Coordinates of all heavy atoms in Angstrom, one line a residue:
Chain B
A39 N 24.4 -13.2 37.9 CA 25.4 -12.2 38.5 C 25.9 -11.2 37.5 O 25.8 -10.0 37.6 CB 26.6 -12.9 39.1
A40 N 26.1 -11.7 36.2 CA 26.6 -10.8 35.2 C 25.4 -9.8 34.7 O 25.7 -8.6 34.6 CB 27.1 -11.6 33.9
G41 N 24.2 -10.3 34.6 CA 23.1 -9.6 34.2 C 22.8 -8.5 35.2 O 22.5 -7.3 35.0
L42 N 22.9 -8.9 36.5 CA 22.5 -8.0 37.5 C 23.6 -7.0 37.7 O 23.2 -5.9 37.9 CB 22.3 -8.8 38.9 CG 21.9 -7.9 40.1 CD1 20.5 -7.5 39.8 CD2 22.0 -8.7 41.4
A43 N 24.8 -7.3 37.5 CA 25.9 -6.4 37.7 C 25.8 -5.2 36.6 O 25.9 -4.0 36.8 CB 27.3 -7.1 37.5
R44 N 25.4 -5.7 35.4 CA 25.3 -4.7 34.3 C 24.0 -3.8 34.6 O 24.2 -2.5 34.4 CB 24.9 -5.5 32.9 CG 24.7 -4.5 31.7 CD 24.4 -5.4 30.5 NE 23.2 -6.4 30.8 CZ 21.9 -6.0 30.8 NH1 21.6 -4.7 30.6 NH2 20.9 -6.9 31.0
I45 N 22.9 -4.4 35.1 CA 21.8 -3.4 35.5 C 22.2 -2.5 36.6 O 21.8 -1.4 36.6 CB 20.6 -4.4 36.0 CG1 20.1 -5.0 34.7 CG2 19.6 -3.7 36.6 CD1 19.1 -6.2 35.0
A46 N 22.9 -3.0 37.6 CA 23.3 -2.2 38.9 C 24.2 -1.0 38.3 O 23.9 0.1 38.8 CB 24.0 -3.1 39.8
R47 N 25.1 -1.3 37.5 CA 25.8 -0.2 36.9 C 25.0 0.8 36.1 O 25.1 2.0 36.3 CB 26.9 -0.7 35.9 CG 28.1 -1.4 36.6 CD 28.9 -2.1 35.5 NE 30.0 -2.9 35.9 CZ 31.3 -2.5 36.2 NH1 31.6 -1.3 35.9 NH2 32.2 -3.4 36.7
E48 N 24.2 0.3 35.1 CA 23.4 1.1 34.3 C 22.5 2.1 35.1 O 22.2 3.2 34.8 CB 22.5 0.4 33.4 CG 23.3 -0.2 32.3 CD 22.3 -0.9 31.2 OE1 21.1 -1.0 31.4 OE2 22.9 -1.5 30.3
L49 N 22.0 1.5 36.3 CA 20.9 2.2 36.9 C 21.6 2.9 38.2 O 20.9 3.7 38.9 CB 19.9 1.3 37.6 CG 18.9 0.6 36.4 CD1 18.0 -0.3 37.1 CD2 18.3 1.7 35.6
N50 N 22.9 2.8 38.3 CA 23.5 3.3 39.5 C 22.9 3.0 40.8 O 22.7 3.9 41.6 CB 23.7 4.9 39.3 CG 24.7 5.4 40.2 OD1 25.6 4.8 40.6 ND2 24.5 6.7 40.6
A51 N 22.6 1.7 40.9 CA 22.0 1.1 42.2 C 23.0 1.2 43.2 O 24.3 1.3 43.1 CB 21.6 -0.3 42.0
S52 N 22.4 1.2 44.5 CA 23.4 1.3 45.8 C 23.7 -0.1 46.3 O 24.8 -0.2 47.0 CB 22.7 2.1 46.8 OG 21.5 1.6 47.1
F53 N 22.9 -1.2 46.0 CA 23.1 -2.5 46.6 C 22.5 -3.5 45.6 O 21.4 -3.4 45.0 CB 22.3 -2.5 47.9 CG 22.6 -3.7 48.8 CD1 23.7 -4.4 48.7 CD2 21.7 -4.1 49.7 CE1 23.9 -5.4 49.5 CE2 21.7 -5.2 50.5 CZ 22.9 -5.8 50.5
A54 N 23.4 -4.6 45.3 CA 22.9 -5.5 44.4 C 23.1 -6.9 45.1 O 24.1 -7.2 45.8 CB 23.8 -5.5 43.1
V55 N 22.1 -7.7 45.0 CA 22.0 -9.0 45.7 C 21.5 -10.1 44.7 O 20.5 -10.0 44.0 CB 21.0 -8.9 46.9 CG1 20.7 -10.3 47.5 CG2 21.6 -7.9 48.0
V56 N 22.2 -11.3 44.8 CA 21.7 -12.4 44.2 C 21.1 -13.3 45.2 O 21.7 -13.6 46.4 CB 22.8 -13.1 43.4 CG1 23.0 -12.5 42.0 CG2 24.1 -13.2 44.1
A57 N 19.9 -13.8 44.9 CA 19.3 -14.8 46.0 C 20.1 -16.1 46.1 O 20.1 -16.7 47.2 CB 17.9 -15.1 45.6
D58 N 20.7 -16.6 45.1 CA 21.5 -17.8 45.0 C 22.9 -17.4 45.6 O 23.7 -16.8 44.8 CB 21.6 -18.4 43.7 CG 22.3 -19.7 43.6 OD1 23.0 -20.0 44.6 OD2 22.0 -20.5 42.7
A59 N 23.2 -17.8 46.7 CA 24.6 -17.5 47.4 C 25.8 -17.9 46.5 O 26.8 -17.2 46.6 CB 24.6 -18.0 48.8
S60 N 25.5 -19.0 45.8 CA 26.7 -19.4 45.1 C 27.1 -18.5 43.9 O 28.2 -18.6 43.3 CB 26.4 -20.8 44.4 OG 25.5 -20.6 43.4
A61 N 26.3 -17.5 43.6 CA 26.6 -16.5 42.5 C 27.2 -15.2 43.1 O 27.4 -14.3 42.4 CB 25.5 -16.2 41.7
A62 N 27.2 -15.1 44.5 CA 27.6 -14.0 45.2 C 29.0 -13.5 44.9 O 29.3 -12.2 44.6 CB 27.4 -14.0 46.7
Q63 N 29.8 -14.4 44.7 CA 31.2 -14.1 44.5 C 31.5 -13.4 43.0 O 32.1 -12.4 42.9 CB 32.3 -15.2 44.6 CG 33.7 -14.8 44.8 CD 34.6 -16.0 45.1 OE1 34.1 -17.1 45.1 NE2 35.9 -15.7 45.0
D64 N 30.7 -14.0 42.1 CA 30.8 -13.4 40.7 C 30.2 -12.1 40.8 O 30.8 -11.2 40.0 CB 30.0 -14.4 39.8 CG 30.7 -15.6 39.4 OD1 31.8 -15.7 39.8 OD2 30.0 -16.6 38.9
L65 N 29.2 -11.8 41.4 CA 28.6 -10.6 41.4 C 29.5 -9.5 42.1 O 29.7 -8.4 41.6 CB 27.3 -10.6 42.4 CG 26.5 -9.2 42.5 CD1 26.0 -8.8 41.1 CD2 25.3 -9.5 43.4
A66 N 30.2 -9.9 43.3 CA 31.1 -9.0 44.0 C 32.3 -8.6 43.0 O 32.7 -7.5 42.9 CB 31.6 -9.7 45.3
I67 N 32.7 -9.6 42.3 CA 33.8 -9.3 41.4 C 33.4 -8.4 40.2 O 34.0 -7.4 39.9 CB 34.5 -10.6 40.7 CG1 35.2 -11.4 41.9 CG2 35.4 -10.4 39.6 CD1 35.4 -12.9 41.6
A68 N 32.3 -8.7 39.7 CA 31.6 -7.8 38.6 C 31.5 -6.4 39.0 O 31.6 -5.5 38.1 CB 30.4 -8.5 38.0
L69 N 31.2 -6.1 40.3 CA 30.8 -4.8 40.6 C 31.9 -4.3 41.5 O 31.8 -3.1 42.0 CB 29.6 -4.8 41.4 CG 28.3 -5.0 40.5 CD1 27.0 -5.1 41.5 CD2 28.2 -3.8 39.6
S70 N 33.2 -4.9 41.6 CA 34.3 -4.4 42.4 C 34.7 -3.0 41.8 O 34.9 -2.9 40.6 CB 35.4 -5.3 42.6 OG 36.0 -5.4 41.2
G71 N 34.9 -2.0 42.8 CA 35.4 -0.7 42.3 C 34.3 0.2 41.9 O 34.7 1.3 41.6
T72 N 33.1 -0.2 41.8 CA 32.0 0.6 41.5 C 31.5 1.4 42.7 O 30.7 2.4 42.4 CB 30.9 -0.2 40.7 OG1 30.5 -1.1 41.8 CG2 31.3 -0.9 39.6
G73 N 31.7 0.8 43.9 CA 31.0 1.4 45.1 C 29.8 0.8 45.3 O 29.0 1.2 46.3
I74 N 29.3 -0.1 44.4 CA 27.9 -0.6 44.7 C 28.2 -1.8 45.6 O 29.0 -2.7 45.3 CB 27.3 -1.2 43.3 CG1 27.1 0.1 42.4 CG2 25.9 -2.0 43.6 CD1 26.7 -0.4 41.0
R75 N 27.5 -1.9 46.8 CA 27.6 -2.9 47.8 C 26.9 -4.2 47.0 O 26.0 -4.1 46.3 CB 26.9 -2.7 49.0 CG 27.8 -1.6 49.8 CD 26.9 -1.1 51.0 NE 25.7 -0.3 50.7 CZ 24.5 -0.5 51.1 NH1 24.3 -1.6 51.9 NH2 23.5 0.2 50.6
T76 N 27.4 -5.3 47.5 CA 26.8 -6.6 47.0 C 26.5 -7.7 48.1 O 27.1 -7.5 49.2 CB 27.8 -7.3 45.8 OG1 28.9 -7.8 46.6 CG2 28.1 -6.4 44.8
G77 N 25.7 -8.5 47.8 CA 25.4 -9.6 48.7 C 24.8 -10.8 48.0 O 24.4 -10.8 46.8
G78 N 24.6 -11.9 48.8 CA 24.0 -13.1 48.1 C 23.4 -14.0 49.3 O 23.7 -13.9 50.4
G79 N 22.4 -14.8 48.9 CA 21.6 -15.5 49.7 C 20.4 -14.9 50.3 O 20.1 -13.7 50.1
P80 N 19.3 -15.8 50.8 CA 18.1 -15.3 51.2 C 18.2 -14.1 52.2 O 17.4 -13.1 52.3 CB 17.4 -16.5 51.8 CG 18.1 -17.6 51.2 CD 19.6 -17.3 51.0
A81 N 19.2 -14.1 53.3 CA 19.3 -13.1 54.2 C 19.7 -11.8 53.7 O 19.2 -10.8 53.9 CB 20.3 -13.5 55.3
A82 N 20.5 -11.9 52.6 CA 21.0 -10.7 51.9 C 19.8 -10.1 51.0 O 19.6 -8.8 50.8 CB 22.1 -11.0 51.0
V83 N 18.8 -10.9 50.6 CA 17.7 -10.5 49.8 C 16.8 -9.6 50.9 O 16.3 -8.5 50.4 CB 16.8 -11.6 49.3 CG1 15.6 -11.2 48.8 CG2 17.5 -12.3 48.2
L84 N 16.7 -10.1 52.1 CA 15.9 -9.5 53.0 C 16.7 -8.1 53.4 O 16.1 -7.1 53.6 CB 15.6 -10.2 54.3 CG 14.6 -11.4 53.9 CD1 14.4 -12.2 55.1 CD2 13.3 -10.9 53.4
D85 N 18.1 -8.1 53.4 CA 18.8 -6.9 53.7 C 18.5 -5.8 52.6 O 18.3 -4.6 52.9 CB 20.3 -7.2 53.7 CG 20.8 -7.9 54.9 OD1 19.9 -8.0 55.9 OD2 21.9 -8.5 54.9
A86 N 18.4 -6.2 51.4 CA 18.1 -5.4 50.3 C 16.7 -4.8 50.4 O 16.6 -3.5 50.2 CB 18.2 -6.3 49.0
V87 N 15.8 -5.6 51.0 CA 14.5 -5.2 51.1 C 14.4 -4.0 52.3 O 13.7 -3.1 52.3 CB 13.5 -6.3 51.4 CG1 12.2 -5.7 51.9 CG2 13.3 -7.2 50.3
E88 N 15.3 -4.1 53.2 CA 15.4 -3.3 54.3 C 16.1 -1.8 53.9 O 15.9 -0.9 54.7 CB 16.4 -3.8 55.5 CG 15.8 -5.1 56.0 CD 14.5 -4.8 56.9 OE1 14.5 -3.6 57.6 OE2 13.6 -5.6 57.1
E89 N 16.7 -1.8 52.8 CA 17.3 -0.6 52.4 C 16.2 0.5 52.1 O 15.1 0.1 51.7 CB 18.1 -0.7 51.0 CG 19.3 -1.6 51.1 CD 20.5 -0.8 51.6 OE1 20.9 0.3 51.1 OE2 21.1 -1.2 52.7
P90 N 16.5 1.7 52.4 CA 15.5 2.7 52.2 C 14.8 2.7 50.7 O 15.6 2.6 49.9 CB 16.1 4.0 52.5 CG 17.3 3.6 53.3 CD 17.8 2.4 52.8
A91 N 13.6 2.7 50.6 CA 12.9 2.9 49.3 C 11.5 3.4 49.5 O 10.9 3.1 50.6 CB 12.9 1.6 48.6
D92 N 10.9 4.0 48.5 CA 9.6 4.4 48.5 C 8.7 3.5 47.9 O 7.5 3.4 48.3 CB 9.5 5.8 47.7 CG 10.3 6.9 48.3 OD1 10.1 7.2 49.5 OD2 11.4 7.4 47.6
I93 N 9.3 2.7 46.9 CA 8.5 1.7 46.2 C 9.4 0.5 45.8 O 10.4 0.7 45.5 CB 7.7 2.4 45.0 CG1 6.7 1.4 44.3 CG2 8.8 3.0 44.0 CD1 5.8 2.2 43.5
V94 N 8.7 -0.6 45.9 CA 9.4 -1.8 45.6 C 8.7 -2.5 44.5 O 7.4 -2.8 44.5 CB 9.4 -2.9 46.8 CG1 10.1 -4.0 46.5 CG2 10.2 -2.2 47.9
V95 N 9.5 -2.8 43.4 CA 8.9 -3.5 42.2 C 9.0 -5.1 42.6 O 10.2 -5.5 42.7 CB 9.7 -3.2 40.9 CG1 9.1 -4.1 39.8 CG2 9.5 -1.7 40.6
A96 N 7.9 -5.7 42.9 CA 8.0 -7.1 43.2 C 7.9 -8.0 42.1 O 6.8 -8.5 41.6 CB 6.8 -7.5 44.2

Side-chain angles (χ1 to χ4, degrees):
Chain B
L42 185 65
R44 184 181 50 74
I45 287 167
R47 283 171 189 268
E48 281 184 5
L49 298 179
N50 196 25
S52 55
F53 190 27
V55 170
V56 278
D58 184 339
S60 71
Q63 198 178 352
D64 285 350
L65 182 66
I67 292 168
L69 289 173
S70 68
T72 60
I74 300 170
R75 287 172 293 128
T76 66
V83 171
L84 294 179
D85 288 345
V87 169
E88 295 288 329
E89 292 281 306
D92 299 298
I93 184 163
V94 174
V95 176

